[in-house]
Amino acid sequence: MVVDTLVAVIGVVGTVGLFVWTYRDATDHGVSRPLLWAAFSGGAVAVGAGLYLFASVPTTGTIMTANTGLVLYGFEREVTLEDDDPAEPGELPHK
């Protein structure tokens, strides 16, 4: 009972926090549709917490579901920030 309450509270706080962080990050870096990405990232955490609380899903499935939105946003952010210039040998990208 205590663990479920703790997971619920962390799920709500994590969902709101991730929503706000993703929206701010997307607007700062010029990622298209920041509200959609924020909803997708936060929503995935909410679904993961809900699966943990209400369904008999293995923990690995819950963790993968909760991470899906943030991982896909990371890919979109990387594509938005990448340069069109070819890579230079011996230099790190985004220097």
Side-chain angles (χ1 to χ4, degrees):
M1 181 69 172
V2 173
V3 173
D4 290 345
T5 305
L6 185 63
V7 168
V9 169
I10 290 172
V12 169
V13 170
T15 298
V16 172
L18 191 57
F19 180 88
V20 170
W21 178 83
T22 304
Y23 183 77
R24 285 184 183 170
D25 187 69
T27 55
D28 289 346
H29 291 96
V31 176
S32 63
R33 299 177 301 232
L35 190 60
L36 177 67
W37 282 110
F40 190 66
S41 296
V45 172
V47 169
L51 284 174
Y52 179 84
L53 293 171
F54 302 114
S56 60
V57 177
T59 305
T60 53
T62 302
I63 292 170
M64 292 200 46
T65 301
N67 289 335
T68 300
L70 191 58
V71 168
L72 291 177
Y73 170 69
F75 291 148
E76 179 69 19
R77 184 178 187 266
E78 184 67 28
V79 167
T80 301
L81 295 178
E82 74 182 12
D83 296 331
D84 291 333
D85 300 331
E88 292 293 326
E91 289 186 19
L92 294 174
H94 306 295
K95 202 170 192 183

